[in-house]
């Protein structure tokens, strides 16, 4: 059993208070209180999304890999499964069309058939 703390969206929005600065990014829950003043993007942008799902805002900036690693430090849990947003990247959302490869026999059927016809016609006219 995982001991990850699970939050509902309602719980996260109720944390929109002075002592808790909790936000949701990609279904994970972060407490950014200790990070507010260190955030290179500024204190204000984070305060504006406290209690909310900031996934879109976070992605819009195109945060670096370093930023994504740094996030782990502030992660306090994740959303309950029923309230998770479908993530865009993942096998279940990739609608890949698989093109069936032709079998060996099917691929050679036409040339072999044409060969036989040519042989028969050749025999008929020239022998
Ligand atoms: C735990 C969550 C977050 C962490 C650890 C984090 C970290 C960082 C870091 C390290 C940078 C410097 C640039 C980079 O390395 O990509 C940055 C820039 C920035 N971040 Fe965040 N960030 C977080 C959440 C957010 C959110 C939710 C928003 C928007 C609501 C945001 C808006 C910005 C902006 C506007 C910049 C400045 C980009 C620029 O100057 O080009 N960040 N962040």
């Amino acid at each position: 059993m995982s001991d990850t703390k699970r939050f509902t969206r309602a719980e996260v929005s109720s944390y929109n208070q002075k002592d808790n600065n909790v936000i949701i990014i990609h279904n994970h829950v972060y407490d950014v209180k200790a990070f507010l003043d260190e955030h290179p993007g500024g204190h204000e942008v984070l305060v504006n999304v406290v209690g909310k799902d900031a996934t879109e805002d976070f992605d819009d900036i195109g945060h670096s890999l370093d930023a994504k690693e740094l996030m782990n430090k502030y992660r306090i849990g994740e959303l309950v499964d029923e309230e998770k947003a479908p993530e865009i990247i993942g096998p279940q959302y990739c609608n890949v069309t698989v093109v069936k490869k032709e079998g060996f026999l099917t691929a050679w059927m036409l040339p072999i058939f044409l060969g036989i016809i040519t042989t028969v016609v050749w025999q008929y006219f020239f022998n």
Side-chain angles (χ1 to χ4, degrees):
M1 268 273 284
S2 145
D3 51 5
T4 304
K5 191 166 169 10
R6 305 288 180 136
F7 296 81
T8 62
R9 288 179 185 270
E11 273 171 329
V12 172
S13 63
S14 75
Y15 286 134
N16 183 3
Q17 291 155 7
K18 220 174 156 208
D19 295 329
N20 293 289
N21 294 111
V22 182
I23 60 177
I24 302 164
I25 300 172
H26 288 289
N27 297 324
H28 295 280
V29 179
Y30 301 89
D31 187 347
V32 290
K33 185 172 169 57
F35 183 58
L36 287 179
D37 293 330
E38 291 168 35
H39 183 220
H43 173 284
E44 198 65 23
V45 279
L46 287 186
V47 170
N48 287 341
V49 291
V50 162
K52 298 182 189 153
D53 189 329
T55 305
E56 241 182 90
D57 307 87
F58 182 83
D59 286 348
D60 282 351
I61 308 304
H63 280 86
S64 66
L65 261 181
D66 281 351
K68 285 168 191 166
E69 271 171 37
L70 185 63
M71 289 170 85
N72 292 328
K73 198 171 155 191
Y74 303 101
R75 187 175 176 275
I76 55 167
E78 65 184 47
L79 287 178
V80 291
D81 287 343
E82 313 82 74
E83 295 193 8
K84 281 183 178 169
E87 288 290 287
I88 297 160
I89 300 165
Q92 66 272 47
Y93 302 106
C94 291
N95 198 1
V96 178
T97 312
V98 178
V99 179
K100 196 174 173 287
K101 275 181 101 181
E102 276 191 347
F104 177 79
L105 264 180
T106 330
W108 286 98
M109 208 72 101
L110 185 65
I112 288 172
F113 180 72
L114 287 176
I116 292 170
I117 296 287
T118 314
T119 311
V120 170
V121 171
W122 181 270
Q123 295 281 332
Y124 185 80
F125 284 107
F126 300 101
N127 288 309

